[in-house]
Amino acid sequence: MGASLSSVSAPTVWAEAMISAAPPPGCPMHQEAPPKVPPPAECPMHRAPPAEVPPPAECPMHQAPPAEASPPPECPMHKADPGPAHQERAYEFVACPMKGSEEKSDIDPSNMMPPPNQTPAPDQPFDLDRIREESTIPRHDSGNKWVYPSEQMFWNAMLRKGWRWREDDLGAQDMTNIIKIHNTNNEQAWQEILKWEAMHAGECPCGPTLKRFGGKAKDFSPRARMRHWMGHVPFNTPVINFLLFLLFLIRYELPFDRHDWIIDRCGREVRYIIDYYDGEINRENYRFSTLDVRPAVDSLGAVWDRMKVTWWRWSS
């Protein structure tokens, strides 16, 4: 029985000794916690955030938006004078597929009066068309084309020049044919001018425009007078007559009309002379006149152009 007691107390004493005994000083639990050392200054977390540097002045975001450049002063939109006043209202009488049947008012809102050139004459024997045809001729300082006169306008113009109607003179259909011949002659004249202007395509790639024109029916050009004179000078020598016949195979009478057309060749004014000679009327295309179109000899450039064309005609 004493043996059993000694065997029980021994482990108890050992356990108490284990509880009361302090751990050795080298144990980690007896060591003081090391002081917290801040990270070195060069550590990214201690660096101040970099100051925001604005982009350089030449950067697109710092440049003011460019001012909208206005068109140059020579542009058509800066021109004060758009051309003849009657042409501004001309499109009111131009027939088109959508507006040809619409009734147009003759009242001008600016003065509440009808335009005189479209008003029938008091003694007019029949009604005339007031529709105006648009040409292919570009009008200077405008995006529009020149517009031809109507039958009524043409009638009134003849009255202003002293013509008076008689029963055996003209009928309504005659006026329609006259307008078609008039418009065809002008289109033909413009095509002849474009042939001359083709020599200056590099100088004026956009092509010429017609600024103004005028009639000079009795002011015959020197060329027309010379042709007429050479065809009517009497020579008694048969040899001279034969040489003149060879030189002037086409003998002209004086032209029945003359026009001077002033065109704009990209900023430069050029004058053309157009002589109208009687010819056989073509009822299919309404060509009636033989036209002699050439630049007026009023500049060295025009003289040179005529010399070149003369050489081409003789050498071709």
Side-chain angles (χ1 to χ4, degrees):
M1 195 169 177
S4 60
L5 291 173
S6 62
S7 62
V8 173
S9 62
T12 304
V13 174
W14 179 81
E16 292 175 357
M18 288 293 292
I19 294 172
S20 61
C27 197
M29 65 187 301
H30 283 277
Q31 296 181 4
E32 295 181 3
K36 189 181 238 183
V37 180
E42 62 271 11
C43 195
M45 64 188 301
H46 282 276
R47 292 181 183 175
E52 186 173 350
V53 180
E58 61 271 13
C59 201
M61 65 172 59
H62 280 276
Q63 295 180 1
E68 186 174 352
S70 59
E74 63 270 13
C75 257
M77 64 177 62
H78 284 284
K79 300 290 185 179
D81 183 12
H86 69 85
Q87 285 284 323
E88 296 307 313
R89 291 199 62 205
Y91 278 87
E92 296 181 11
F93 300 92
V94 175
C96 68
M98 297 182 63
K99 297 184 179 179
S101 60
E102 294 180 4
E103 185 66 24
K104 288 288 186 179
S105 173
D106 285 344
I107 302 301
D108 187 347
S110 63
N111 55 13
M112 299 306 293
M113 294 291 291
N117 59 351
Q118 290 281 39
T119 303
D123 57 348
Q124 188 170 306
F126 39 74
D127 293 333
L128 293 172
D129 200 345
R130 296 184 301 163
I131 298 299
R132 305 181 63 178
E133 180 184 351
E134 183 183 19
S135 74
T136 64
I137 306 172
R139 184 155 58 96
H140 183 60
D141 286 348
S142 171
N144 296 326
K145 305 286 198 311
W146 285 88
V147 180
Y148 293 127
S150 65
E151 296 178 12
Q152 185 64 64
M153 292 174 62
F154 207 94
W155 179 280
N156 292 338
M158 292 192 299
L159 292 179
R160 286 195 302 270
K161 294 180 180 180
W163 175 83
R164 292 295 178 265
W165 179 83
R166 293 185 298 273
E167 292 185 1
D168 57 347
D169 274 347
L170 294 175
Q173 184 58 40
D174 294 325
M175 286 301 302
T176 300
N177 294 334
I178 287 175
I179 288 296
K180 291 180 178 179
I181 293 172
H182 169 271
N183 297 355
T184 299
N185 278 340
N186 282 279
E187 293 293 328
Q188 184 182 356
W190 181 248
Q191 293 302 317
E192 292 296 322
I193 289 176
L194 291 181
K195 292 178 182 178
W196 286 91
E197 288 299 304
M199 295 187 293
H200 301 276
E203 175 186 347
C204 186
C206 297
T209 57
L210 179 60
K211 294 187 72 171
R212 59 187 183 274
F213 56 88
K216 298 181 178 181
K218 300 303 179 182
D219 188 6
F220 300 112
S221 64
R223 177 162 165 166
R225 291 182 180 277
M226 181 173 293
R227 284 183 170 182
H228 175 71
W229 180 75
M230 294 303 292
H232 291 79
V233 174
F235 288 101
N236 296 325
T237 306
V239 176
I240 296 179
N241 287 335
F242 179 73
L243 292 176
L244 288 175
F245 174 76
L246 293 180
L247 185 60
F248 299 96
L249 292 178
I250 301 177
R251 301 176 65 178
Y252 290 93
E253 297 291 333
L254 284 171
F256 69 84
D257 198 5
R258 169 193 167 179
H259 281 184
D260 283 16
W261 288 18
I262 288 66
I263 69 161
D264 179 85
R265 185 190 293 161
C266 293
R268 179 182 177 186
E269 283 194 2
V270 181
R271 181 168 64 97
Y272 279 87
I273 298 175
I274 306 171
D275 286 330
Y276 296 85
Y277 294 91
D278 282 322
E280 292 292 331
I281 185 171
N282 188 328
R283 297 189 179 274
E284 294 182 0
N285 55 21
Y286 290 94
R287 287 196 174 185
F288 168 71
S289 306
T290 301
L291 272 57
D292 184 13
V293 182
R294 70 277 186 194
V297 185
D298 50 12
S299 68
L300 292 178
V303 173
W304 179 243
D305 285 351
R306 291 179 63 161
M307 290 175 62
K308 286 192 296 185
V309 171
T310 300
W311 170 250
W312 291 343
R313 287 173 177 171
W314 281 93
S315 61
S316 61

